[in-house]
Amino acid sequence: MTHATSTGPAIVAEGLVKRFGDTTALDGVDLEVASGTVLGVLGPNGAGKTTAVRILATLLRPDAGRAVVAGHDLAAAPHRVREAIGLTGQYAAVDETLTGAENMLLIGRLLGLSRTAARARGADLLGRFGLADAAQRAAKTYSGGMRRRLDLAASLVGSPRVLYLDEPTTGLDPRSRNDLWDIVRGLVADGVTVLLTTQYLDEADRLADDIVVIDHGRVIATGTPAELKARTGAQTLSVRPADAAHLPTVAAALAALDHAAPETSGDQVSVRVADADVLPHLVRRLDADGVAVAELSLRNPSLDEVFLSLTGRPAESGAAQNEVPA
Amino acid sequence: MTAATVARVSPAAALQQTLTLSWRSLVQIRHNPMELLDLSITPIMFVLLFTYVFGGAIADSPQQYLQFMLPGIIVQNTIFATMYTGMGLNSDLTKGVFDRLRSLPIARSAPLAGRILADTVKQAWAIALLLAIGFALGFRAPGGVLGILAATGLMLLFALAAAWIAVLVGVLASDPEKVQVYGFTVMFPLTFTSNIFVQTESMPGWLQAWVKVNPVTLLADAMRGLMVGGPVARPVVLSLVWGAVIALVFAPLAVRAVRRRV
């Protein structure tokens, strides 16, 4: 099966609402993902990211709103939606007692492949994800990264056109995370549409074409990573004096530039500035103060800073408690 | 909504999916020998212990006691075994496997049906094992092959009804260990306040009142009647009534709980 490269969006969601008792998990979320692109859904823990994915994967019914996935209405044709999607959850949803090959065989058979075809498809995907050697071992002996790759491989058995990745790298070491990113890039190159939820801003920055920031069940910002960074308007000016003893002098100089309070971390001082014109003033002042500068930089905000300014709190504050010892 | 716009799973495909998911549950045994040990060793140990430790004291001889106790111990063991359905389901729910299965274009009933079918196979295996041990120790079944098959069939049918309780517990519990705790705190008194090990008449009057209507007693009587001899119609009918009542009460509760949880 080839991936239909329809020109329309792969996912359109309008006004999704979901309540659990008194808690409103989603409070009218709109999403649109163009075919063959990656949408990064960013938000802190409990923002509603997973609820949105579960609704779009037909696992939960929204209390209000509608969505069309791969051309099929969620409410009217959930079976058709399921035929088009792949889901990789936050917790690697593989049967730990089965081997990698058996897990793949299980999914293949459930999708209607013959035993031979299911084995072949499983072996092919396991090979692609570097799991060929581990195919005959029980999944519970796999490392966290291997389990995620097996989970992802299992969600690709049916060649989905739309893939949901719900915090696919939470709790993974940097190397495994990089491996997974490469796999996702490969899938997108093949025309798969990806909806990725993450708490890691660098992940969204590297993978996503567009980003939606969700907080308290609402979309609070959308745009490309560059647009979001531009939106906060502020750049960060950092100065590292050659001599750490000059740090207070540098801080004082930076404080004099703008209204924002400079922050000293390690051997450098940073301040957010709205206008790059302050640079010549700063250089003159530091020169007058007799400070030798080892490094001076003016850079655009990172997504972390964007997130902080949008939500009023750092993105990864909850990440540490949420890490899965997979 | 017409069939043209909404794809449905054909009955043949649903059956295939159920069988595939049963295969999955049964293949697990190969990788987790502890489960097979649990399924096999416990019944063997129970039969041996009860026959030789209590047999002489409760009945005139171990031999005679075996005739009385083996049908009952099959009932107890099978009812205990229904908890595996709850534990397996709970593990699938907490580990996200259930979500993965439900996100596939398969029959909505297949994950549950596949698990229950596999558990029925496991229960049949345990019953066969118990009967084999029994026969080796001198159990005799005048009811013949037909009687044994009828008794086994009745037992498995009742276990299917009881599986709904296990499903409900499996969905409501926060982890598989809690399901096991339930198994011990409810199943133990339920199966022991019956006539599977001792005659009802040996118990105090207030307990007898319950023992006489306990489905475990009725099932044990039915299985004795079918395999060894004695009244058949009344205990069989009452066992089926109990099974029907349990299914009617717990199936809707369990299905509702599954829908809520996921």
Side-chain angles (χ1 to χ4, degrees), chain A residues 160-183:
Chain A
R161 280 176 287 149
V162 175
L163 185 63
Y164 301 120
L165 301 174
D166 188 14
E167 303 203 7
T169 64
T170 298
L172 288 192
D173 59 79
R175 164 100 197 270
S176 306
R177 189 182 288 187
N178 269 310
D179 289 348
L180 217 94
W181 287 347
D182 285 342
I183 292 170

Side-chain angles (χ1 to χ4, degrees), chain B residues 82 116-117 120 123 154-165 243 247:
Chain B
T82 60
I116 290 174
L117 179 62
T120 303
Q123 288 156 10
L154 177 70
M155 186 66 246
L156 293 177
L157 198 63
F158 184 86
L160 276 180
W164 287 114
I165 305 179

Side-chain angles (χ1 to χ4, degrees), chain A residues 54 59-60 76 79-80 82-83 87 93-99 102 106-107 109-111 151 154-155, chain B residues 6-7 9 16-17 20 23-24 27-28 30-31 95-97 99-106 108 262:
Chain A
R54 288 173 59 83
L59 297 178
L60 270 183
H79 190 81
R80 289 275 183 231
R82 288 178 202 124
E83 286 174 340
L87 171 66
V94 294
D95 187 327
E96 294 179 347
T97 50
L98 300 192
T99 66
E102 284 166 346
L106 171 69
I107 305 293
R109 291 290 282 153
L110 287 175
L111 292 176
D151 190 36
S155 66
Chain B
V6 181
V9 182
Q16 174 63 52
Q17 289 152 8
T20 299
W23 164 84
R24 172 222 164 190
V27 154
Q28 283 179 335
R30 205 170 71 204
H31 298 293
K95 289 187 175 151
V97 176
D99 276 356
R100 142 80 27 87
L101 295 176
R102 289 194 339 125
S103 75
L104 298 174
I106 61 172
R108 300 294 89 190
V262 294

Side-chain angles (χ1 to χ4, degrees), chain A residues 114-134:
Chain A
S114 71
R115 206 166 275 120
T116 321
R119 283 218 174 85
R121 177 83 179 132
D124 172 43
L125 282 165
L126 290 175
R128 261 173 71 189
F129 292 177
L131 293 169
D133 293 341

